[in-house]
Amino acid sequence: MILDRFRIEDNVAVVTGAGRGLGAAIAVAFAQAGADVVIAARTRSQLEDVAAQVHSAGRKAHIVVADLAQPEETAKLAHQAVEAFGRLDIVVNNVGGTMPNTLLTTSSKELQDAFTFNVGTAHALTTAAVPLMLEHSGGGSIINITSTMGRLAGRGFAAYGAAKAALAHYTRLAALDLCPRIRVNAIAPGSILTSALDVVASNDELRAPMERVTPMRRLGVPEDIAAAAVYLASPASSYLTGKTLEVDGGLIAPNLDLPIPDL
């Protein structure tokens, strides 16, 4: 049955930034597809809520409270997964983000911090995970969460967009280094209704224009990204590596303009 190829029965996944938003949705979706999950973030109460949903799906969750802005902390998750569950099959590098800022007020340190948080953490976990994936599972899937702003140009996103673009190309480079036993792919979300867009979700004057310029005429929900992650983690995508799935409603330009004036 074709649907069986989307199962990840008895696999073990690590999901960073799993306390809420995309990471939480991906962790729960993985559990529903048959995997046990290591979920990591800074806030225990949020992770406990996600773990309860994982348990409701009949799978196990191992909570790790950590500051994942530090690559060395992120790298520890690979060994913690093997210690908790005896194997590691799937890694989702979801943690990341950078606040918008004008180009001329973005310092070199802020740019460097954006690369560390969005690319350095992914590299740290990937390089720690791969030997363990090969040893305990023989292969696996790594999924990086980039952004539509890694390919589209919008004012205020110099640091964030550049870092996410770097992560997308890192995905292509890592895929070639690690094939054929480890697959590396990415998801580039568009505007997704997580807590980052709370102000948009509750304000029709902001939301309606964004929906009008989005070809699918709606904003995304976390489950849209979670479904793509299940595909990339599962045997259904076994002939796919080095690619980025653009789950963005068909955007060809940003659907939210920041109020940054001309010089």
Side-chain angles (χ1 to χ4, degrees):
M1 295 291 291
I2 190 64
L3 290 181
D4 291 340
R5 298 196 65 182
F6 291 84
R7 298 290 300 174
I8 46 176
E9 203 73 40
D10 297 326
N11 279 201
V12 171
V14 168
V15 183
T16 65
R20 59 182 180 175
L22 301 184
I26 290 169
V28 173
F30 281 176
Q32 293 170 349
D36 297 322
V37 292
V38 175
I39 51 176
R42 287 183 296 184
T43 306
R44 177 172 291 277
S45 59
Q46 292 178 343
L47 291 171
E48 289 174 346
D49 289 342
V50 176
Q53 296 178 66
V54 170
H55 296 152
S56 294
R59 305 305 306 190
K60 299 175 183 177
H62 179 70
I63 289 174
V64 178
V65 179
D67 179 7
L68 300 181
Q70 309 302 318
E72 60 272 17
E73 291 299 314
T74 310
K76 294 176 183 177
L77 296 174
H79 288 279
Q80 289 168 317
V82 173
E83 290 172 1
F85 296 120
R87 61 185 294 157
L88 178 57
D89 305 273
I90 303 158
V91 168
V92 179
N93 289 306
N94 170 65
V95 71
T98 303
M99 290 299 293
N101 202 356
T102 66
L103 181 69
L104 296 184
T105 56
T106 298
S107 69
S108 295
K109 183 181 185 306
E110 287 169 333
L111 186 64
Q112 182 178 0
D113 288 346
F115 274 78
T116 298
F117 193 27
N118 291 277
V119 185
T121 54
H123 179 66
L125 179 51
T126 295
T127 53
V130 165
L132 298 175
M133 297 167 87
L134 294 175
E135 178 183 354
H136 296 281
S137 300
S141 173
I142 295 171
I143 304 167
N144 298 320
I145 306 299
T146 64
S147 169
T148 189
M149 294 312 299
R151 66 179 178 89
L152 302 179
R155 285 185 174 179
F157 292 99
Y160 178 74
K164 289 300 190 182
L167 183 58
H169 195 49
Y170 174 87
T171 297
R172 292 185 281 271
L173 297 169
L176 284 182
D177 275 3
L178 300 178
C179 65
R181 294 175 66 186
I182 304 287
R183 297 185 299 109
V184 188
N185 292 289
I187 302 171
S191 297
I192 309 297
L193 289 169
T194 65
S195 58
L197 285 183
D198 278 348
V199 66
V200 170
S202 60
N203 187 330
D204 286 342
E205 291 185 3
L206 292 175
R207 181 170 175 166
M210 293 178 67
E211 292 175 332
R212 277 198 302 271
V213 299
T214 302
M216 290 301 292
R217 301 295 187 265
R218 71 172 176 88
L219 302 184
V221 295
E223 288 75 17
D224 292 322
I225 307 304
V230 169
Y231 168 64
L232 292 178
S234 73
S237 64
S238 62
Y239 197 50
L240 191 72
T241 195
K243 305 302 180 184
T244 296
L245 297 184
E246 297 170 358
V247 186
D248 58 14
L251 288 178
I252 57 174
N255 58 3
L256 177 62
D257 290 324
L258 299 180
I260 297 176
D262 292 347
L263 294 177

